[in-house]
């Protein structure tokens, strides 16, 4: 049988699309998928969490975290607890119980956890000079709890990690990329939450003491001590001390709050 | 946030590097394939099993021998990254098409090389298998057939 | 030993057949032997290490099949087929099988 060789120039097994163009089109589509998932999860969580009862929240928190008492700080803890109780009596329609937990650590920090638990580092107690200063900081943390900020960000973070695991499987690089970009978005919400907690704290302070003295003292000290340039604060969860001072002062002016002398308090 | 930026820069650099070197190596490979195919222009590689189907008398055969050709090709980082997107959205993974095509052509060329003095190669079979593991991705193609030498 | 992958040996007559003969090997690549292999993940191209691995696996598998056929006193193996699969990370199995026959000289 005769063999006839025929040359085929075109390769039918290869598509002639430009790989770069395809890459960008696909990347854009994938981005759309994430953005819509993120927005959807955000809405869904808001709806669920708004309806979470205080009792439920306290149960969950006690289940997750194991709060231990630091014996060496028991005295100071009682003092701070009294202050918190004084403040919480001035929250209208309050059903929550706030508990303070002192942590022996030189860092100047305080944190709010779901269930009404407030962590205060001993370094913070050493740095403050007046009762009003401390009251404002505690009121700020109470604001976070009342606004359910930490549950919202924790559960959002977990839900998104779960989605990225589901979509990407074990693909490490895409997972970290997705989680990282979510983090930077969360930072913006975190700063808004901080400003709202500052507002809540200011109003609570004013309501408890009759004036707003002492609200900005702590941040003024932070602003003086801290040498970070303003733009770096975009990368952090808290707004810069100066912007917080400005926002608080604006709020004081807006509401016509008084500024009177503050009560001194010293912790060991 | 800084971590994210560093991650992103790393990823983009690797992908771009993969794209540049990948397309260069692929073009070079295809050119070499085209050239070598010219060498074996007249060696038919067919799939029929029986010599009688192509009107060749079995008595004209001097010898018949099994010949094989194998090639393994790996994708570059740009190709595999695009493939991950398609994994989510679905559709054709066009980035891998050239990969498998190259591997197949290369395997067939090596088959022909092993049987260079033969008159034809019959009952050619092509087997593709996936050689992905934790550290390398690859496609292995094995082509084998019977090389016939006629009188 | 004549090995073909068609159903007969051209020009010769099949006298008797002995059934299926097989040969298989599993080989893994040496992780440290080719430091350039790590780069292949980014640049693409042929994995020579794997190709050599598969080639040597195939030769060994074929030798084993031939040995089995010889013990049956066959002198040809027809209708040979190959099968390749990845069984574990970095290891590939080659499986070859055919029909052992005795052909006229």
């Amino acid at each position: 049988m005769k063999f006839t060789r025929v040359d085929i120039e075109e390769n039918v097994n290869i598509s002639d699309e430009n790989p770069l163009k395809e890459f960008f089109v696909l990347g854009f589509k994938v981005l759309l998928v994430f953005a819509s998932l993120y927005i959807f999860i955000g809405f869904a969580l808001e709806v669920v969490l708004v309806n979470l009862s205080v009792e439920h929240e306290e149960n969950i928190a006690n289940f997750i975290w194991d709060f231990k008492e630091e014996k060496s700080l028991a005295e100071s803890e009682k003092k701070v607890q009294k202050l918190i109780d004084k403040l919480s009596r001035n929250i209208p329609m309050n059903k929550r119980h706030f508990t303070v937990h002192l942590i022996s650590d030189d860092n100047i920090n305080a944190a709010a956890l779901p269930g009404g638990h407030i962590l205060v580092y001993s370094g913070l107690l050493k740095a403050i000079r007046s009762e009003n200063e401390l009251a404002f900081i505690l009121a700020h943390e109470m604001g976070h709890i009342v606004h359910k900020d930490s549950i919202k960000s924790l559960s959002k973070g977990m839900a998104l990690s779960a989605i990225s695991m589901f979509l990407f499987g074990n693909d490490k690089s895409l997972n970290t990329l997705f989680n990282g970009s979510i983090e930077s978005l969360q930072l913006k919400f975190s700063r808004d939450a901080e400003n709202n907690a500052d507002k809540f704290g200011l109003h609570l302070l004013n309501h408890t003491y009759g004036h707003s003295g002492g609200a900005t003292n702590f941040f003024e000290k932070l602003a003086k001590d801290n040498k970070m340039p303003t733009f770096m604060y975009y990368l952090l969860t808290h707004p810069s001390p100066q912007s917080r001072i400005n926002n608080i002062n604006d709020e004081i002016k807006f509401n016509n709050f008084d500024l009177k002398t503050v009560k001194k308090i010293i912790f060991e | 946030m800084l971590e994210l930026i560093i991650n992103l820069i790393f990823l983009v650099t690797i992908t771009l590097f993969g794209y540049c070197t990948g397309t260069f190596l692929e073009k070079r490979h295809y050119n070499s394939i085209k050239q070598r195919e010219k060498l074996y222009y007249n060696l038919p590689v067919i799939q029929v099993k029986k010599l009688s189907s192509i009107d060749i008398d079995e008595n004209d055969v001097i010898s018949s021998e099994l010949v094989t050709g194998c090639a393994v090709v790996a994708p570059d980082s740009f190709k595999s990254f695009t493939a991950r997107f398609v994994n989510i959205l679905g559709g054709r993974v066009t980035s891998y098409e050239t990969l498998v095509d190259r591997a197949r052509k290369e395997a067939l060329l090596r088959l022909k090389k092993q049987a260079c003095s033969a008159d034809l190669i019959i009952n050619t079979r092509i087997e593709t298998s996936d050689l992905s593991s934790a550290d390398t991705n690859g496609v292995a193609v094995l082509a084998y057939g019977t090389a016939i030498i006629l009188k | 030993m004549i090995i073909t992958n068609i159903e007969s040996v051209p020009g010769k007559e099949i006298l008797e057949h002995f059934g299926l003969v097989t040969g298989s090997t599993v080989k893994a690549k040496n992780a440290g032997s080719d430091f350039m292999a790590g780069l292949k993940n980014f640049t693409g191209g042929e994995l020579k290490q794997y190709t050599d691995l598969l080639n040597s696996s195939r030769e060994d598998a074929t030798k084993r099949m031939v040995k089995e056929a010889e013990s049956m006193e066959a002198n040809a193996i027809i209708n040979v087929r190959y099968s390749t699969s990845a069984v574990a990370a970095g290891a590939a199995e080659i499986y070859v099988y055919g029909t052992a026959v005795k052909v006229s000289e």
Side-chain angles (χ1 to χ4, degrees), chain C residues 65-80:
Chain C
M65 184 178 69
V66 164
K67 201 165 145 198
E68 203 174 299
E70 276 169 357
S71 67
M72 291 176 173
E73 289 178 28
N75 61 3
I77 310 177
I78 59 171
N79 225 355
V80 166

Side-chain angles (χ1 to χ4, degrees), chain B:
Chain B
M1 175 77 178
L2 208 62
E3 265 180 52
L4 166 72
I5 295 175
I6 291 177
N7 253 333
L8 208 66
I9 292 177
F10 191 58
L11 217 70
V12 166
T13 324
I14 289 185
T15 314
L16 240 106
F17 175 66
Y19 178 69
C20 299
T21 47
T23 34
F24 170 69
L25 286 175
E26 192 172 284
K27 273 212 180 86
R28 205 172 64 167
H29 194 194
Y30 266 119
N31 286 336
S32 142
I33 286 177
K34 273 210 182 90
Q35 273 185 340
R36 282 181 290 155
E37 274 179 351
K38 289 195 185 121
L39 287 176
Y40 304 109
Y41 201 73
N42 289 311
L43 176 61
V45 173
I46 50 183
Q47 220 244 329
V48 294
K49 282 198 248 184
K50 289 193 179 359
L51 283 170
S52 52
S53 317
I54 44 172
D55 288 345
I56 291 180
D57 189 5
E58 288 211 350
N59 297 316
D60 288 339
V61 173
I62 299 178
S63 73
S64 59
E65 187 195 353
L66 182 74
V67 283
T68 62
C70 166
V72 180
V73 185
D76 55 65
S77 48
F78 179 75
K79 285 198 171 49
S80 44
F81 200 71
T82 321
R84 281 183 217 159
F85 286 160
V86 182
N87 230 352
I88 301 168
L89 298 170
R92 280 189 8 211
V93 191
T94 54
S95 56
Y96 276 20
E97 281 172 1
T98 53
L99 210 73
V100 188
D101 186 56
R102 269 158 68 197
R104 259 201 308 268
K105 290 207 158 90
E106 183 67 44
L108 281 172
L109 277 172
R110 288 180 185 175
L111 178 80
K112 290 184 196 177
K113 185 175 171 193
Q114 201 186 7
C116 56
S117 58
D119 289 304
L120 76 158
I121 304 177
I122 62 172
N123 209 6
T124 320
R125 282 165 197 263
I126 302 180
E127 286 229 342
T128 319
S129 53
D130 167 38
L131 290 177
S132 340
S133 63
D135 47 356
T136 39
N137 271 339
V139 171
V141 175
L142 171 67
Y144 57 100
T146 306
I148 304 273
I149 302 181
L150 300 170
K151 288 185 187 149

Side-chain angles (χ1 to χ4, degrees), chain C residues 7-22:
Chain C
E7 286 168 2
S8 60
V9 180
K12 299 197 184 192
E13 201 189 324
I14 298 176
L15 301 171
E16 53 180 319
H17 70 94
F18 304 100
L20 193 72
V21 284
T22 68

